[in-house]
Amino acid sequence: MASPEFNLAFEPFYGQVVPVAPGVQRITVHNPSAFTFHGTNSYIVGHGSVAVIDPGPEDEGHFEALTAALAGREVTHIFVSHTHRDHSPLSRRLQAATGAQIIAQGPHRAARPLHQGEINPFAESSDLDFRPDIAIDDGDTIEGDGWSLTGVLTPGHTANHAAFALEGTGILFSGDHVMGWATSIVAPPDGSMSDYMTSLDKLIERHDRILLPGHGGPVRKPMSFMRALKTHRRMRERAVLDRIHAGDRNIPDMVKVIYRETDPRLHGAAALSVLAHIEDLVERGEIETDGPPALLGSYRPATRR
């Protein structure tokens, strides 16, 4: 299956401040994994009076690195792209140390209610204690000393995911919605594939110059990359449909074929991604199931009337 040209060439320089654009610095948390790549990127925006984007997990070494990088500078705002535990928890400790206001779309929430008997497989990955001081809406702009950040709501990876546009620069902090190293995980009930695709179209229409993601390096040709990402997602959808028409009736059998070249550690996430596609396909009347779509559900081609 064709994929976007992912870029795995990234040096995290843990604990060090890395300039990535005029007035923008990056510090990467030492929390590498199959889901976080080399770790979570925190960004510092501004010079004397600054904003921090995605402080990251509750990690002592990263807190010390951030504190050292921010020494002598006032932190007025803390922006959080979404409430997974690799992005938001350190915001509370950083706020206590600086007095900055925390800005995000809102508390953690699922894209849809849990079905009867359903368990949220990513519940432990969610920061359920998070509450922003300012709930940013689409198009809201927060101004600081020499910088302005505008909220661009991008639900899909999570229901409360937001990107932030650095006005006057063509830079978009894309969180986990678009990353250069891999596709974003869309896992129901927290995530929604239909929301993700709508948000992807929204970013394509923006024509930003560069994306600075939550993991990995910059996306320097965002338009062509996001179009390829959209094509990739549509091909995944087509693969799911093809497997159902070929006789597969459950998600594990589909994953074995569709993701046969994927790291087995990611097959659980892959199953959730297939479920996200299936939810969308059921809603659109392309396939059928008895009851709501579920990981252990049985699926069949739609009966055309």
Side-chain angles (χ1 to χ4, degrees), residues 107-127:
H108 190 82
R109 68 181 191 280
R112 60 161 174 78
L114 284 170
H115 301 312
Q116 185 174 2
E118 184 181 21
I119 296 173
N120 186 344
F122 274 85
E124 293 185 1
S125 301
S126 303
D127 184 2

Side-chain angles (χ1 to χ4, degrees), residues 44-53 70 73-79 91 94-95 97-103 133-134 142-149:
I44 301 171
V45 179
H47 296 285
S49 181
V50 304
V52 174
I53 299 175
L70 295 166
R73 297 192 277 184
E74 179 189 18
V75 182
T76 58
H77 299 82
I78 301 166
F79 290 79
S91 62
L94 186 60
Q95 181 183 55
T98 64
Q101 291 184 303
I102 297 175
I103 295 119
D133 298 307
I134 298 174
I142 306 293
E143 296 185 355
D145 182 12
W147 54 264
S148 297
L149 285 164

Side-chain angles (χ1 to χ4, degrees), residues 124-155:
E124 293 185 1
S125 301
S126 303
D127 184 2
L128 302 179
D129 295 327
F130 179 86
R131 297 290 185 278
D133 298 307
I134 298 174
I136 197 167
D137 204 350
D138 201 46
D140 287 352
T141 298
I142 306 293
E143 296 185 355
D145 182 12
W147 54 264
S148 297
L149 285 164
T150 297
V152 182
L153 301 192
T154 48

Side-chain angles (χ1 to χ4, degrees), residues 51-86:
V52 174
I53 299 175
D54 281 348
E58 183 55 63
D59 181 278
E60 183 64 32
H62 188 59
F63 179 73
E64 291 177 359
L66 269 177
T67 301
L70 295 166
R73 297 192 277 184
E74 179 189 18
V75 182
T76 58
H77 299 82
I78 301 166
F79 290 79
V80 174
S81 65
H82 65 292
T83 44
H84 280 156
R85 289 189 177 276
D86 56 324

Side-chain angles (χ1 to χ4, degrees), residues 237-238 240-251 254 274 277-294 296-305:
E237 175 187 283
R238 183 72 251 172
V240 171
L241 270 174
D242 287 348
R243 293 313 309 162
I244 292 172
H245 282 282
D248 288 354
R249 292 293 174 261
N250 61 70
I251 289 175
M254 298 178 210
V274 170
H277 279 297
I278 282 175
E279 286 186 341
D280 191 26
L281 289 166
V282 168
E283 184 176 346
R284 287 155 46 195
E286 298 286 340
I287 59 176
E288 296 177 351
T289 185
D290 297 320
L296 299 180
S298 178
Y299 303 97
R300 58 188 179 273
T303 303
R304 299 297 181 184
R305 293 180 175 85

Side-chain angles (χ1 to χ4, degrees), residues 177-188:
H177 191 75
V178 177
M179 302 175 289
W181 73 282
T183 56
S184 177
I185 293 172
V186 181

